[in-house]
Structures are given as C-alpha cells and as structure tokens.
C-alpha cells in the first residue's frame, strides 16, 4: 500500500460510495489502472489518498461489508 499526499493532484475520476450519508461521511474511490485503486476521504479531496492493489481493495471492501472495520 502506498500513500499519495494530495489526492486532488491525481488525474483520476473519483466516485463516492453508494452508502454515503447526508453529512458526506464516506470515501471516494478511483481506478488508477487495471490492478490499482485509490481511496480518499470525500471531505478532504486535497488530503492523502491510499493507493491499493486490486487484492488490497477487495480485502478492504470485504472487511467493511462484514463489519470488521466498524467503529
């Protein structure tokens, strides 16, 4: 996993989670390439982004859906 300090400088098409709440407490995702994804905080588009492999991204989504990352 890599971190990119200013996600707004990445030339990507970001989309919000379909489960975003009214207060915009969600993440945005973008396809970086065939095997890479980026994830950032929707409230801080100029903040950092995590760059994940496809397997890491699938693992993150699976963990979130199963409730393993519930706060």
């Amino acid at each position: 996993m890599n971190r990119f300090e200013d996600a707004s400088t990445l030339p990507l098409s970001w989309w919000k989670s379909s489960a975003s709440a009214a207060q915009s407490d969600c993440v945005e995702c973008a396809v970086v390439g065939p095997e890479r994804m980026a994830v950032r905080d929707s409230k801080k588009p100029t903040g950092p982004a995590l760059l994940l492999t496809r397997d890491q991204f699938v693992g993150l989504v699976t963990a979130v859906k199963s409730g393993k990352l519930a706060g």
Side-chain angles (χ1 to χ4, degrees), residues 10-71:
L10 293 170
L12 302 172
S13 295
W14 296 92
W15 76 88
K16 283 188 182 181
S17 165
S18 60
S20 20
Q23 290 90 11
S24 300
D25 54 345
C26 63
V27 298
E28 292 178 320
C29 302
V31 175
V32 177
E35 294 296 321
R36 304 284 290 181
M37 297 291 296
V39 179
R40 71 180 180 183
D41 183 341
S42 65
K43 295 180 297 304
K44 298 180 182 177
T46 60
L50 296 178
L51 302 179
L52 309 170
T53 66
R54 180 183 172 133
D55 290 340
Q56 289 171 327
F57 183 77
V58 169
L60 175 64
V61 171
T62 300
V64 168
K65 284 183 174 182
S66 71
K68 290 182 180 177
L69 297 179

